Structure formats: C-alpha cells, structure tokens
Amino acid sequence: MPHRAPGSPGHRGGKYLTGKAISYYRPRGSAEVRQLIDGGFQAFNAGRLSEACHIFADKMLAPEHDTTIGLTVAGALTPAGLGGCVIEMMERGLVDFVISTGANLYHDLHYALNFTLHRGSPFLDDVELYEQGIIRIYDVLFPATVLLETDAYIRDFLVRSKLAGPIATSELHYRLGLDLLERQPGCEAYSVVASAARAGVPIYTSSPGDSSIGMNIAYHELMNGSTLMIDPNRDVNEVCAIILAGKKNGCVILGGGSPKNFYLQGQPTLWEVYSIPKGGNDYFIQITTDSVVWGGLSGATPAEAVSWGKVNPGVLPDTVVAYCDSTIAFPLFCEYAVGSENGRRPRKELVHKRDAMVADLLRQAKEAQTSPREPIESEPAEIDRHR
Ligand SMILES: NC(=O)c1ccc[n+]([C@@H]2O[C@H](COP(=O)([O-])OP(=O)(O)OC[C@H]3O[C@@H](n4cnc5c(N)ncnc54)[C@H](O)[C@@H]3O)[C@@H](O)[C@H]2O)c1
C-alpha cells in the first residue's frame, strides 16, 4: 500500500462519520437511577456497584470525614464521552485530585477545541478506514485531522506558555487548562482539563511520555531546543503530600493501569521511604474489568493492598471492587453521588496548595529522620480475601 499521511487532505470520511456526535454526558442526580441502584442492584456485581455508591455517598462524602478523594482514570473514557462525569464530580467538590492516563487528557482536548468524535461501529473495515483517514477507538470514529490539529494546538501552547525546566504534570495540565479557558471561552463545560483548572483540581499523569501530549513535549525539546521536561519526582512528592494532608483518604479507581498504582503508592512512599506512618487508605473503590488471578496490579484487590500498607487493615468493609465496564458503571455511580444528600462539598482547590503541602511533607520527613522507626507488626491482620 502506498504511504500516505493519515488525515492528509482529500480524505473526508464519507459514510463513516455520519454517526451522532459523542458529547460529554453530565449526571444530574436522577432519582430513578438511585432507586434502581438501591432497589434493583442487589447481588453479584450490581450488588458491588450499589455498595460502592453507598461507601462513596454515605461515607467518603460525609462532611464529618472530610475525605481527600483521588480519582484515577484508565481505559479510553474521554473518547467514550465520560469526561462529563469527571467534570461534574470536580465542579461539585466530589473529587479533589485526578490521576489519568495521558491519552484521556489528550482526547479531552478534542472536545475543548470543538472537534467532533462520532458514534460508530466496532465492526468496520480498518483498511478502508485507513484509506479514508479515519481513526477508530473501538466504536468511536473521528478524522485523523483531529489528531493533527490537536497536536498543533499543544505545540503552539508549549511555545506560547514559555514553560521551561522541570515541572510537575499538575503544573502542565493547570497551565494547559488556563490556556484553553482563555482561548476557548466556555470550554470548561466540555473539557476535563479546562474544568479542572477552573475548579482548582490538580491532574497528574503517571506515565507522561506515553501519550500524544508527551509526544509533542518531546518534539518541543528536539525541534525548538526547549528545556521543558516533566519531572516525575515532583508528581510523586505532590501526590504523597496531598495524601499526607488528608484527614481521611479515599480513591475511586476506574480501570487499573499505572494511574491506580500511582495513587496507591502514596501511602508506601510515606511509611516506607519517608518514615511517616499515615496508616493506609481509608476508602477504596475500584470499577474494573481486570481480574485478580493474573497477579497484576490492575486486578489486585484492596485486601492485597493491605499487605503493602496501601489500605488500612481496619477498614476493609469500606473497600469494594465492582467488576464492570466503567463506561456503564461510572455514569450510574455519578448519578447516585450527585443525587445524594452529600452531592456537593466545598472544593479543596488543591492546585493552589501544592507548594505548601510539599513543604509540610519535607518538614515531617525531616522530623521522622530524627525519631526511631516504629517496629513492623509481625502478626498480620485478619483479612477477608474476597475484598
Ligand atoms: N494518542 C494517545 O495519546 C494514546 C492513545 C491510546 C493510549 N495511549 C496510552 O496507552 C496507555 C494505555 O491506554 P488505556 O488506558 O486506554 O488502555 P489499557 O487497555 O492499558 O487500560 C488500562 C486499564 O483500564 C482497564 N480498562 C480499560 N477499559 C476499561 C473499561 N471500559 N472498564 C473497566 N476497565 C477498563 C484495563 O483493563 C486496564 O487495567 C496509556 O498509558 C495511554 O496514555 C495513548
């Protein structure tokens, strides 16, 4: 087949791009969905999802617990239109920080820049799609020009922003969000990155080189001689400092992948590396299709996380894994949370507190150096292997 650049002019997508535009669905707290989850979701994974909704709405969001909540996002969720759920949760203060694959943030930019992704079918001829210059993410279709124009926006932003030297991904995404808000007024309703900047929610990426955002940062260094580089150490310390500052800590893990561990490793970083015993996560909710039997971290249960000091052994009843496709379960979960009594909290706006929290981490770590380490308990806690 002769080489052609995907999305090169002359390729229009024809019949493939006639499906409805994918939009960001915003949960509104539907009473019917709450009734279904409370009354109809009784056993198996429906039961687990119902349990997850209750742990989140009744405990994690309870004002007296003041839980610092991290959301981790893996799997192609923004292409599927789930960014609206994330936006609603951030705006309402129901999520305090986010750890996402770079891909979800990159594809979120298409919505911010007003490009259209279309509903389609997973059963198409991919050679023909290639010839037509169409990209397929399972049943989501869009012209390859969307990639090229989104990449051009990122590169222009990098030049315009004059960002230089080592920075955290939270800073990169915050600045990107501010740029979107300025150049695309109103886009906060259609973009997780823009909405997070407005709501003060820091967004981290656990593997910054592994997305088209990272690819364009690499271009900026090679072609423009930029000194900008993502410093994962800052991300590790910021996430750790956010967890340390939390009165209680809890997470909602969508999928698995590296965002899951990047969140969970915060507790071991505290006790194992900085000698600050925080006691482990207080709440753990995971919605995933990953199974435990392969031994990978994506499918690892909260019970296994206890052995690492990632989850507090005393709180296993407040942990749950619902084995579901998150494109189905997460919108239901969000409807439940938004419609609950605790469906709005004051936002923590952690993006503006990062330096102060890292300074506190440093202070406590230095103090810990001068005091002897607590001995590790030899008797493991009794744990329920089903969790
Ligand atoms: N152009 C880009 O920027 C681009 C595009 C695609 C992927 N990527 C990169 O590739 C990596 C992997 O991507 P990924 O997160 O899409 O895929 P993945 O398949 O690695 O999924 C990550 C995790 O989420 C789970 N998961 C996926 N879909 C799910 C669903 N619907 N419901 C429940 N769980 C689900 C998986 O089982 C896995 O644990 C990422 O690091 C990403 O940044 C980059």
Side-chain angles (χ1 to χ4, degrees):
M1 179 174 296
H3 173 77
R4 65 141 189 88
S8 51
H11 299 279
R12 294 189 165 269
K15 62 184 178 184
Y16 293 112
L17 298 179
T18 53
K20 272 178 91 170
I22 292 185
S23 60
Y24 269 2
Y25 171 79
R26 296 287 284 268
R28 293 281 172 236
S30 153
E32 288 80 8
V33 170
R34 286 177 56 81
Q35 187 202 3
L36 171 69
I37 291 172
D38 279 336
F41 284 12
Q42 303 171 74
F44 309 153
N45 284 299
R48 297 296 74 67
L49 184 60
S50 172
E51 207 182 315
C53 290
H54 279 284
I55 291 172
F56 191 70
D58 304 343
K59 296 183 176 179
M60 289 169 72
L61 297 182
E64 65 272 23
H65 293 156
D66 189 19
T67 308
T68 297
I69 300 175
L71 172 73
T72 82
V73 187
L77 300 192
T78 54
L82 269 77
C85 291
V86 180
I87 293 172
E88 192 69 36
M89 299 294 264
M90 293 190 304
E91 280 193 354
R92 290 174 167 267
L94 308 185
V95 158
D96 300 307
F97 66 108
V98 173
I99 303 172
S100 170
T101 59
N104 276 308
L105 304 174
Y106 172 69
H107 293 305
D108 175 73
L109 300 182
H110 310 327
Y111 296 86
L113 298 171
N114 227 356
F115 298 132
T116 306
L117 282 63
H118 295 264
R119 300 186 196 182
S121 160
F123 310 111
L124 299 175
D125 179 342
D126 285 288
V127 175
E128 210 179 309
L129 289 180
Y130 177 78
E131 284 167 354
Q132 295 283 324
I134 295 172
I135 303 291
R136 181 169 78 84
I137 303 174
Y138 195 58
D139 58 353
V140 176
L141 303 172
F142 54 97
T145 46
V146 167
L147 299 180
L148 302 179
E149 291 182 41
T150 304
D151 290 8
Y153 164 76
I154 295 169
R155 288 196 297 272
D156 289 349
F157 157 73
L158 292 172
V159 171
R160 207 166 42 240
S161 70
K162 300 191 174 64
L163 284 169
I167 62 166
T169 58
S170 58
E171 185 63 17
L172 173 76
H173 299 137
Y174 180 56
R175 296 288 297 273
L176 194 53
L178 293 181
D179 190 76
L180 288 169
L181 291 172
E182 192 188 321
R183 299 177 82 84
Q184 306 280 331
C187 76
E188 65 273 18
Y190 311 101
S191 164
V192 172
V193 174
S195 160
R198 205 184 67 153
V201 174
I203 302 183
Y204 298 90
T205 296
S206 40
S207 42
D210 176 19
S211 83
S212 300
I213 297 179
M215 285 146 60
N216 284 294
I217 293 175
Y219 171 100
H220 191 45
E221 178 181 295
L222 190 67
M223 302 295 281
N224 302 338
S226 161
T227 60
L228 171 65
M229 83 168 40
I230 299 302
D231 180 355
N233 299 341
R234 290 181 194 225
D235 282 8
V236 170
N237 284 328
E238 282 188 16
V239 169
C240 195
I242 289 173
I243 290 170
L244 179 63
K247 190 172 156 201
K248 281 188 177 244
N249 290 288
C251 54
V252 177
I253 297 170
L254 302 180
S258 64
K260 176 182 178 183
N261 188 65
F262 206 73
Y263 173 82
L264 290 175
Q265 72 174 13
Q267 295 278 355
T269 311
L270 286 171
W271 75 258
E272 177 189 333
V273 179
Y274 288 123
S275 303
I276 305 171
K278 183 76 166 73
N281 227 27
D282 300 290
Y283 304 102
F284 177 124
I285 292 169
Q286 184 175 11
I287 296 169
T288 190
T289 48
D290 293 306
S291 128
V292 64
V293 294
W294 311 117
L297 188 275
S298 290
T301 58
E304 185 175 329
V306 166
S307 72
W308 286 85
K310 292 173 173 174
V311 169
N312 181 335
V315 302
L316 277 172
D318 294 333
T319 67
V320 66
V321 181
Y323 293 96
C324 308
D325 179 335
S326 16
T327 60
I328 300 169
F330 190 54
L332 294 171
F333 178 87
C334 293
E335 285 288 357
Y336 196 92
V338 166
S340 80
E341 218 176 273
N342 300 323
R344 193 177 286 281
R345 302 192 304 173
R347 292 199 295 250
K348 290 192 173 28
E349 310 218 342
L350 298 177
V351 91
H352 308 299
K353 300 175 185 164
R354 290 170 296 160
D355 289 347
M357 288 186 296
V358 172
D360 196 51
L361 168 65
L362 177 63
R363 185 187 57 74
Q364 291 200 42
K366 286 200 163 156
E367 266 174 32
Q369 275 181 338
T370 56
S371 46
R373 205 183 256 270
E374 293 268 318
I376 293 172
E377 296 263 342
S378 54
E379 286 292 315
E382 191 67 29
I383 55 178
D384 171 1
R385 297 302 305 176
H386 298 296
R387 297 225 164 247

